[in-house]
Amino acid sequence: MSEAHFARADEAPPPLASPHWTPKFVEPLMFDQSAERERAARAGSIGFRGVSKVYAASAAPALAGIDLAIEPGEIFGVIGRSGAGKSTLLRLINRLETATEGQVLVGGEDVGALNEDRLVALRRRVGMIFQHFNLMSAKTVAENVALPLVVAKRPRAEIESRVREALALVGLTDKRDAYPARLSGGQKQRVGVARALVAGPDVLLCDEATSALDPESTQSILALLKDINRRLGLTIVLITHEMSVIREICDRVLVLDRGAIAEVGLVWRVFGEPRHEATRTLLRPLARGLPEDVADRLRPDPAPQGRSDAIVELTFSGEGEPDIGAIAAALGGAKPRILSAQLDRIGGHTQGRLLLAVRLASSPNLSGLAPSSKVLGYVAADD
Amino acid sequence: MSPQMIDRLLHGLLDTLTMVGASALVALAAGVPIAVLLVLTAPDGLSPAPRINRTLAAVVNGFRATPFIVLLVALLPLTRLVTGTTIGVWAAIVPLSISATPFFARIAEVSLREVDAGLIEAAQAMGCRRRQIVRHVLLPEALPGIVGGFTITVVTMIGASAMAGAVGAGGLGDLAIRYGYQRFDTTVMAAVIVVLIALVCVVQFAGDVAVRRLSAR
């Protein structure tokens, strides 16, 4: 493996004081990254073929009939309620769990068929980070990061330089001799990331990696993961119960429900047009309902006397950007006002909802304003 | 106290230190591997081996259940085999070691068991072999607990060594019985107690300092 996976060793580490630090692009050393990427591209693919996992004790299978292909270099998210089988699915990839049925393939290799030596070799190509970091409390930051190389019996000089690069990559150069107990949660997870990457893996498994972190640290760890993915081209598989994590960095998402695949696809599509009840349930906390004051006054028909506002909901999902001018024009002189807007851009696709109050006597013509639009009801105008 | 008595006291202290020191080293050298083996072969361990685990646990329990004074006598044939004699300091070291080892092994086992399963999982995930997990994860992480348990073991052994007089091993306990109890010499009794208390305090203090330094990181 080349050293190019990491930042230049002599580069000054970013100031740790800044919580919003995002790793910046660091130019590779004088070597050709494309060959490296190509190799990683082959090695970073993951496949599940008819995989089931049954724990002897429980009657219901933890996973049943999982067929899945994870592309090299993508950030693949797995979401589901607790007990849905996320953790088992992740641990099948580096055989911390063994499949009861079916095959798990990493880089084309059947993980279940490996002998101990080959399994150890595979695990050195698959890094992993954990919700509770799992750092050795008796070892310094540098010793923790060095451990995968020490057990792989790498030469001391190589360990030294790789640890330095890995710590520079995650911005913890000045903490190398600290013990984990002295670090914040975000810093601990950075050590975890450095340790997972130090051996130059093709795949990074993230087990609820941000669930124990505060929002700021979560953001910076996600930014770090995204940067690593882009720069090193490694495949990232992450499991989480937080929708926001998926939306933030994943290319594709798999929704697991009671051990089975509920749906899988591009994040914007799955979130924009959830097809499975499990997905809708997961999305529900994110979707705010009608503002309370409006909901209280909402009625099915316009007020017979006086003037009413129609409450119009426009739902966007897919390519293109909502054209405010066109919407206003279509509603004529009706003076549309925005009551609430929840619009997001996921992977270049607009997704979300726009709630308008429109002063209209008759039903407005809404066709063509948005992929989906409807009048929710009417409220009496105040004036 | 007469100068001779002070001399006997010093001699007794030296005997006690020799017995406890030598047996403690044996307990340390044998207890840690036994503890590791117990943890590894446990049903939820890294290399489950129910038969080995049960046998080892039974042996450990057997020795722990036997009172030291009984062990001292019961082991006389073994003692003769190992040291060539059944009286004196070295004769006491054999039963003392054999009594302390299972005691310490159980305490060390508890410390090893308390190592967070997540750390072992992390080690496996990075491609550690079992032996490497023991060396790089289990032992270093359990070290403060093992040192604390070793301190307890040594203090317990100081108490047990008082019975070594039964095989003529001497030591502080023997002194207290022969002069303090059988000859009604209260001064000697008091002096022995003071020395024993001081000894235990020093051992405990040293152990506590070591544990604190190990866990301060």
Side-chain angles (χ1 to χ4, degrees), chain A residues 14-29:
Chain A
L16 279 162
S18 158
H20 296 295
W21 173 73
T22 356
K24 58 184 183 299
F25 186 84
V26 180
E27 270 195 280
L29 295 169

Side-chain angles (χ1 to χ4, degrees), chain A residues 71-303:
Chain A
E71 301 297 324
E74 79 171 321
I75 304 186
F76 189 85
V78 180
I79 192 165
R81 279 173 286 183
S82 51
K86 310 185 291 279
S87 175
T88 304
L89 187 127
L90 193 74
R91 279 163 174 74
L92 286 169
I93 297 172
N94 60 356
R95 215 174 92 184
L96 287 175
E97 301 278 6
T98 45
T100 315
E101 243 177 80
Q103 286 182 311
V104 179
L105 305 165
V106 176
E109 233 177 348
D110 182 355
V111 171
L114 301 177
N115 63 21
E116 196 186 330
D117 284 347
R118 305 273 304 275
L119 177 63
V120 165
L122 171 96
R123 285 174 174 171
R124 286 177 185 153
R125 301 199 283 110
V126 179
M128 188 166 186
I129 58 176
F130 303 86
Q131 176 173 11
H132 298 297
F133 324 122
N134 294 351
L135 302 178
M136 311 302 158
S137 66
K139 291 183 175 16
T140 64
V141 165
E143 286 165 352
N144 265 287
V145 175
L147 192 52
L149 301 174
V150 170
V151 298
K153 302 197 169 65
R154 308 304 305 167
R156 182 184 293 227
E158 183 195 329
I159 294 178
E160 181 65 29
S161 72
R162 276 173 174 263
V163 168
R164 206 180 318 115
E165 289 172 33
L167 286 176
L169 181 78
V170 301
L172 281 180
T173 301
D174 60 344
K175 296 282 183 194
R176 60 170 294 135
D177 295 321
Y179 283 95
R182 303 260 179 268
L183 303 181
S184 71
Q187 289 171 331
K188 283 181 194 168
Q189 196 57 292
R190 284 176 183 276
V191 178
V193 171
R195 182 176 70 177
L197 294 181
V198 75
D202 305 308
V203 176
L204 178 63
L205 307 178
C206 308
D207 178 14
E208 297 274 8
T210 59
S211 299
L213 300 178
D214 60 59
E216 248 173 34
S217 306
T218 297
Q219 285 309 310
S220 86
I221 292 293
L222 292 181
L224 177 63
L225 292 179
K226 204 166 186 169
D227 180 75
I228 287 163
N229 165 261
R230 210 179 43 223
R231 205 174 338 155
L232 310 182
L234 50 62
T235 312
I236 297 182
V237 183
L238 64 87
I239 64 172
T240 181
H241 61 270
E242 294 169 308
M243 273 293 182
S244 54
V245 169
I246 302 278
R247 193 170 56 184
E248 193 80 23
I249 66 167
C250 290
D251 300 314
R252 286 198 303 153
V253 61
L254 162 68
V255 182
L256 262 188
D257 185 43
R258 276 166 282 175
I261 296 178
E263 58 184 305
V264 58
L266 295 170
V267 172
W268 68 268
R269 191 175 289 285
V270 171
F271 281 19
E273 302 154 19
R275 288 179 197 151
H276 195 280
E277 188 48 40
T279 318
R280 279 190 279 269
T281 310
L282 284 165
L283 282 168
R284 206 159 289 147
L286 288 184
R288 266 168 289 152
L290 215 51
E292 227 172 84
D293 61 322
V294 178
D296 285 348
R297 295 188 290 143
L298 196 71
R299 347 168 164 174
D301 301 301

Side-chain angles (χ1 to χ4, degrees), chain A residues 350-373:
Chain A
T350 303
Q351 191 240 308
R353 188 187 72 162
L354 199 57
L355 211 57
L356 304 176
V358 185
R359 176 66 45 87
L360 278 181
S362 60
S363 257
N365 174 21
L366 303 174
S367 59
L369 291 185
S372 151
S373 52

Side-chain angles (χ1 to χ4, degrees), chain B residues 118-196:
Chain B
L119 299 187
I120 294 164
E121 188 179 47
Q124 287 177 313
M126 71 175 73
C128 285
R129 293 164 195 277
R130 267 171 292 203
R131 185 180 306 202
Q132 293 172 324
I133 293 176
V134 172
R135 182 180 154 198
H136 294 286
V137 183
L138 277 181
L139 289 176
E141 291 297 318
L143 193 58
I146 290 176
V147 170
F150 187 61
T151 310
I152 295 175
T153 307
V154 171
V155 170
T156 308
M157 288 166 75
I158 292 172
S161 76
M163 293 174 220
V167 291
L172 289 170
D174 182 45
L175 203 64
I177 298 284
R178 280 195 288 131
Y179 290 84
Y181 177 65
Q182 288 165 351
R183 296 189 192 177
F184 307 104
D185 190 339
T186 317
T187 321
V188 174
M189 182 72 93
V192 166
I193 291 173
V194 168
V195 173
L196 279 176

Side-chain angles (χ1 to χ4, degrees), chain B residues 17 151 154-155 158 194-210:
Chain B
L17 290 177
T151 310
V154 171
V155 170
I158 292 172
V194 168
V195 173
L196 279 176
I197 290 175
L199 188 59
V200 168
C201 285
V202 167
V203 169
Q204 190 63 52
F205 178 76
D208 288 347
V209 168

Side-chain angles (χ1 to χ4, degrees), chain B residues 43-55:
Chain B
D44 57 348
L46 287 169
S47 339
R51 197 163 301 172
I52 295 176
N53 191 261
R54 272 200 300 271
T55 311

